């Protein structure tokens, strides 16, 4: 019964977005606000994690720290541009780039654990 009620609420919200004038604009604004809020929370979490683990990052060698930073930047750039990869070849390039970045993070994490 509770699931049916929840589904009915979602259907009413969807109908309001489609049927009411300005509903799609309001939905777009709500989506944008939620995206900004999630991005802000993620940035806060990453900043906090970096502050807590700053000495561990600096304890890595120059090469490993460079790999770590490059992998993080690579993941951010690839995910930010993911909507631009429309073709199958573009998706394969994106997945290959993500695999390389994750491989770099795995290498650094193995060094982190061994020290």
């Amino acid at each position: 019964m509770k699931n049916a009620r929840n589904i009915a609420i979602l259907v009413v919200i969807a109908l309001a977005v489609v049927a009411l004038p300005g509903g799609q604009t309001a939905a777009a604004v709500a989506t944008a606000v939620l995206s900004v809020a999630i991005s802000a929370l993620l940035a806060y979490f990453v900043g906090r994690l970096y502050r807590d683990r700053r000495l561990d990052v600096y304890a890595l060698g120059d090469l490993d720290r460079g790999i770590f930073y490059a992998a993080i930047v690579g993941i951010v750039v690839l995910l930010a541009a993911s909507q631009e990869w429309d073709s199958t070849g573009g998706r394969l390039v994106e997945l290959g780039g993500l695999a390389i970045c994750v491989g770099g993070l795995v290498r650094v994490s193995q060094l982190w654990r061994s020290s």
Side-chain angles (χ1 to χ4, degrees), residues 47-104:
R48 181 71 189 241
L49 186 65
Y50 178 75
R51 274 187 294 176
D52 291 345
R53 299 290 182 180
R54 189 178 328 169
L55 289 176
D56 294 336
V57 172
Y58 287 134
L60 295 170
D62 289 339
L63 177 65
D64 296 322
R65 193 168 51 248
I67 290 172
F68 176 70
Y69 289 142
I72 296 295
V73 168
I75 289 172
V76 168
V77 168
L78 285 169
L79 291 179
S82 66
Q83 293 182 358
E84 301 298 323
W85 304 96
D86 291 334
S87 65
T88 304
R91 291 285 179 198
L92 290 176
V93 168
E94 180 185 13
L95 289 175
L98 285 174
I100 291 170
C101 291
V102 168

